[in-house]
Amino acid sequence: MAEHKIIFTGPVGAGKTTAISVLSDIAPITTDEVASDMTKNLKQQTTVAMDYGLMRINGSERVHLYGTPGQERFNFMWDVLTQGGLGLVLLIDNSRKEPFQDLYFFLDAFKSFIHRTAISIGITRMDEKSQPQIDDYHREITSMGWPVLPIMEVDAREKEDMSMLVQSLLYTIDPTVTE
Amino acid sequence: MLFVNHEPMGIALVGMSGKDQPMMEMFLKRQWSSQYVVVPDHLAKLCILDLDGFEGKDLLQKQQSQYTDRPLIVLSVRNTSIDGARVLRKPLKIELLKQTIDICRSEILQNQIKIETPKSEKERIVRVLPRSRPVQQKTGNAEHNLIVSDKNIRRLSLPSAASQARIIQSTCGKSKHKDSNQLATTDRVDYYNHESNFQEILKNAMELSRSHKKPVHLVFQDNKSITLLPKSNQCLNAINDSKLKPRCLLKLNSDQVKIVISDYSESQLRMSCDTNPQPLDALLWKVSLWSSRGRLPLGISEELNIGIRQWPNLTRMLAIPEFIRIAALWSKNPISLTKTIELLRIETGYVYAFFSACHAVGLIQYHSSYQQPSKQTESAPNEVANTGLLRRILRRLQSI
Ligand SMILES: Nc1nc2c(ncn2[C@@H]2O[C@H](COP(=O)(O)OP(=O)(O)O)[C@@H](O)[C@H]2O)c(=O)[nH]1
Ligand SMILES: [Mg+2]
């Protein structure tokens, strides 16, 4: 059976792990991979986490939720990770120093995936820092030449918020889907 | 036929970082399910090596000296050529990676057919499989855990159907359940006059406070008030929804709601008030929904092509799932209200209410020329998603 997946990305602390855990039917898994061969003999072992969760949708049908590990603009594996994905959920932490830089960074890193599929953008931690506002994000993406994209304030801990954000992603793929 | 061997083929991933390795494993599993399995270097029939990692060059030399006959795929940011290896330039392109792995596989299988005796092959597989299992589990780690952790399934609280119905009744004017064959395309357009009700008074007060750059109080006859804070784009609302909702349907005059410019600063007002500030747009949004009740503002043509200049911040606004669909459609291409109803097979009340709210907060864009709806809106543009799948995921999400 085909595997369906949705990719969650964003800077460290934006709420990817939390978002996947509120949507997932299973306790989320963080694949703590101890670095392979080459770093084994290094004293300091790097632990890198890729988040994983799952939604059961119908009988045995499932949607896998993956969170991207780390933060690199040109991770050579992005194409590999996103392959076959339904779309991208980008979480931006509004309380970070330069959230617009994060926005450029991730839109650029996942450009081809977004063009092939769809994106919805959730702005987190607006309860901690209210500036910039949602309107400012819209202005930024417009000036970057992106079309009208769903951008919403979310709290990654709130499942209603995350549900609506993912719904906006799916309806962007096809608004004509009826109940 | 080339792929005569149905046993999984062992692949070694060498020199890959801790975060790249699981992604590569996931890719192999997804792409070919049981055809490949990641195994330790000495058991592999094919090796994929990351040249850019720590000690990448040494690892390459080791491969070249120890495994002279084994196919080798090298990943590198540099455009190099390496004797006896296939170099794939980073960032990796899926198609190329797939092709290269398939080519290597067919080479391996052809060589086996030529040189192997069946017995040794069998022996090797028996040796490989048990050792490879723990590695395989790591790849399928998620799946594995999922089976054992059934008890972890979260109990989802279903939304109260009654409260959903109330919201729909007060904003879209209709009950949610209706025979979808009797879509309202045949209904007469129902208008409301937003210029004689609270929505208009609120809008005027907002303009006044913005132009004076001062807070403004809207004071009702019962002395309850709403205070607008233009600097922070917020309001202090002392009237609860159940009281405000019916007022949106009344004709109100300046005696019934007084508009008073405040002499206090925003922070003073904030401190003296015990309600939490709310976004101004969210107030105007819900007031226009309650005023509309599924009707269109007077003077709006349902044949005009419209779109939205940006998505409403729906997580912080009064909203129902249908609004997300309409927003998604209107964010793509100019389309008329009539066409929207037709294409989405949706009740007019939802579309008119959503239009009214977007119109009130200034999100609507008019387009003079008719534009053919693009293919995107007519068929799913996504290469993987199909309508049935999307519907099932949405149903699941809406039950959250
Ligand atoms: N105050 C606040 N905290 C949030 C919000 N969203 C997520 N968090 C918290 O932020 C922390 C980091 O989230 P996490 O999911 O680990 O981020 P990740 O690095 O992207 O996986 C967690 O403690 C979350 O509970 C939000 O909107 N507001
Ligand atoms: Mg995390």
Side-chain angles (χ1 to χ4, degrees):
Chain A
M1 188 173 53
E3 269 188 38
H4 314 298
K5 62 181 176 183
I6 296 174
I7 313 293
F8 289 71
T9 193
V12 175
K16 299 178 295 292
T17 306
T18 313
I20 288 174
S21 75
V22 300
L23 291 171
S24 179
D25 286 336
I26 56 164
I29 297 153
T30 296
T31 57
D32 280 332
E33 292 290 337
V34 177
S36 54
D37 289 359
M38 58 168 186
T39 43
K40 272 215 180 100
N41 30 14
L42 286 181
K43 238 191 180 169
Q44 192 191 357
Q45 287 196 329
T46 37
T47 306
V48 184
M50 181 163 91
D51 294 309
Y52 173 82
L54 173 150
M55 285 194 307
R56 290 196 178 84
I57 48 174
N58 188 20
S60 60
E61 203 171 21
R62 293 151 180 180
V63 176
H64 306 268
L65 312 170
Y66 287 102
T68 60
Q71 177 168 353
E72 297 145 61
R73 188 190 294 268
F74 299 116
N75 185 310
F76 70 96
M77 296 290 275
W78 284 159
D79 207 26
V80 171
L81 176 70
T82 56
Q83 198 240 355
L86 290 169
L88 185 71
V89 174
L90 169 58
L91 297 178
I92 297 289
D93 174 356
N94 209 49
S95 71
R96 270 166 59 101
K97 237 195 190 140
E98 296 191 273
F100 290 157
Q101 291 305 321
D102 295 334
L103 183 72
Y104 306 147
F105 179 105
F106 285 98
L107 286 177
D108 192 45
F110 288 93
K111 196 164 44 191
S112 75
F113 180 53
I114 299 167
H115 286 308
R116 281 203 312 275
T117 59
I119 183 174
S120 66
I121 304 171
I123 313 299
T124 62
R125 294 173 174 273
M126 292 197 78
D127 53 325
E128 292 178 339
K129 189 159 162 282
S130 60
Q131 296 292 337
Q133 297 187 344
I134 297 292
D135 282 357
D136 302 320
Y137 282 95
H138 281 294
R139 261 191 295 278
E140 284 301 316
I141 60 148
T142 306
S143 72
M144 289 165 71
W146 288 91
V148 178
L149 301 180
I151 305 177
M152 285 166 210
E153 175 179 345
V154 294
D155 185 325
R157 298 164 298 183
E158 299 294 333
K159 53 182 177 212
E160 290 80 6
D161 283 5
M162 293 321 302
S163 163
M164 194 175 268
L165 189 63
V166 179
Q167 286 184 54
S168 72
L169 173 77
L170 301 177
Y171 278 129
T172 301
I173 296 168
D174 185 1
T176 64
V177 178
T178 49
E179 271 183 52
Chain B
M1 196 171 88
L2 266 181
F3 298 105
V4 284
N5 189 341
H6 294 296
E7 296 297 337
M9 180 175 288
I11 297 189
L13 302 178
V14 174
M16 257 173 229
S17 80
K19 79 183 95 168
D20 296 331
Q21 176 139 350
M23 284 193 263
M24 184 61 86
E25 288 185 17
M26 190 180 80
F27 166 76
L28 293 172
K29 181 168 172 254
R30 184 188 162 82
Q31 206 55 50
W32 293 281
S33 63
S34 55
Q35 284 188 44
Y36 295 104
V37 52
V38 176
V39 295
D41 197 10
H42 66 283
L43 296 175
K45 291 189 175 165
L46 166 67
C47 172
I48 304 178
L49 181 144
D50 187 346
L51 189 61
D52 306 329
F54 185 66
E55 292 179 339
K57 288 226 172 77
D58 295 345
L59 291 170
L60 176 64
Q61 270 178 6
K62 186 182 151 201
Q63 287 298 320
Q64 287 172 320
S65 59
Q66 284 190 10
Y67 305 98
T68 41
D69 292 333
R70 185 167 81 178
L72 173 64
I73 299 175
V74 173
L75 316 177
S76 173
V77 284
R78 272 177 293 275
N79 196 8
T80 51
S81 73
I82 296 165
D83 264 359
R86 291 187 165 81
V87 182
L88 293 180
R89 188 106 184 258
K90 295 179 188 175
L92 288 185
K93 289 278 156 272
I94 288 289
E95 280 312 313
L96 210 56
L97 178 63
K98 281 199 297 208
Q99 280 170 18
T100 312
I101 292 177
D102 275 339
I103 292 170
C104 291
R105 182 184 171 90
S106 57
E107 274 178 16
I108 294 163
L109 293 174
Q110 266 171 345
N111 283 342
Q112 277 177 3
I113 294 166
K114 273 189 234 145
I115 58 169
E116 229 164 45
T117 65
K119 191 169 159 248
S120 71
E121 169 65 5
K122 242 183 205 148
E123 268 172 11
R124 203 175 316 164
I125 290 164
V126 171
R127 241 185 30 234
V128 167
L129 281 182
R131 296 183 77 161
S132 66
R133 206 155 277 154
V135 188
Q136 199 173 15
Q137 249 179 29
K138 195 167 65 177
T139 329
N141 165 334
E143 285 288 305
H144 177 74
N145 274 306
L146 156 149
I147 295 157
V148 295
S149 64
D150 257 10
K151 59 177 180 294
N152 287 326
I153 302 172
R154 188 179 292 116
R155 301 256 169 273
L156 293 171
S157 57
L158 283 169
S160 139
S163 86
Q164 268 255 13
R166 264 201 307 279
I167 293 173
I168 290 166
Q169 179 71 34
S170 64
T171 58
C172 305
K174 303 239 167 78
S175 77
K176 191 177 161 95
H177 303 288
K178 192 182 170 184
D179 183 357
S180 63
N181 292 324
Q182 293 189 339
L183 283 173
T185 35
T186 51
D187 290 0
R188 252 181 315 112
V189 180
D190 217 353
Y191 289 104
Y192 76 105
N193 186 354
H194 60 294
E195 293 189 351
S196 63
N197 65 11
F198 180 63
Q199 181 185 333
E200 188 66 11
I201 295 174
L202 175 62
K203 217 172 167 182
N204 290 340
M206 280 169 70
E207 273 163 26
L208 184 75
S209 89
R210 277 173 185 153
S211 63
H212 283 69
K213 297 194 171 77
K214 279 192 161 180
V216 160
H217 304 290
L218 285 156
V219 189
F220 283 85
Q221 277 174 316
D222 57 2
N223 266 337
K224 289 251 178 323
S225 71
I226 298 174
T227 302
L228 313 180
L229 310 173
K231 232 166 73 189
S232 58
N233 259 324
Q234 288 179 317
C235 67
L236 300 165
N237 182 4
I239 307 173
N240 65 31
D241 285 358
S242 63
K243 293 254 164 60
L244 190 57
K245 215 183 292 177
R247 290 178 198 192
C248 294
L249 294 172
L250 301 174
K251 271 201 169 113
L252 295 174
N253 59 41
S254 54
D255 289 337
Q256 290 160 305
V257 192
K258 290 204 169 64
I259 299 179
V260 185
I261 297 183
S262 174
D263 287 328
Y264 293 105
S265 74
E266 293 201 7
S267 48
Q268 284 170 321
L269 289 166
R270 225 184 275 267
M271 292 217 286
S272 66
C273 183
D274 52 7
T275 55
N276 284 329
Q278 300 164 4
L280 257 180
D281 272 354
L283 174 69
L284 184 56
W285 176 272
K286 69 182 176 189
V287 163
S288 52
L289 283 176
W290 291 331
S291 309
S292 154
R293 282 206 168 215
R295 296 168 302 171
L296 216 47
L298 206 57
I300 299 295
S301 158
E302 355 127 60
E303 302 306 331
L304 265 181
N305 283 309
I306 54 143
I308 44 173
R309 65 182 95 249
Q310 65 187 48
W311 271 70
N313 188 18
L314 285 175
T315 47
R316 298 293 176 265
M317 309 266 208
L318 186 57
I320 54 171
E322 280 75 4
F323 290 175
I324 314 175
R325 293 176 68 197
I326 309 171
L329 181 68
W330 288 359
S331 68
K332 285 176 188 257
N333 291 291
I335 189 168
S336 71
L337 295 168
T338 311
K339 272 253 176 302
T340 301
I341 294 159
E342 225 176 87
L343 195 64
L344 299 188
R345 302 180 49 78
I346 191 174
E347 286 188 26
T348 48
Y350 297 155
V351 177
Y352 292 174
F354 184 70
F355 176 88
S356 301
C358 289
H359 184 253
V361 299
L363 292 182
I364 296 293
Q365 256 177 332
Y366 295 93
H367 300 265
S368 48
S369 63
Y370 178 75
Q371 224 171 319
Q372 199 72 31
S374 82
K375 285 233 167 64
Q376 284 211 335
T377 53
E378 286 176 339
S379 63
N382 194 297
E383 58 194 31
V384 254
N386 65 57
T387 316
L389 170 68
L390 292 176
R391 182 185 304 126
R392 292 189 296 276
I393 308 175
L394 282 159
R395 204 175 288 152
R396 166 71 180 71
L397 287 166
Q398 285 160 11
S399 74
I400 281 181

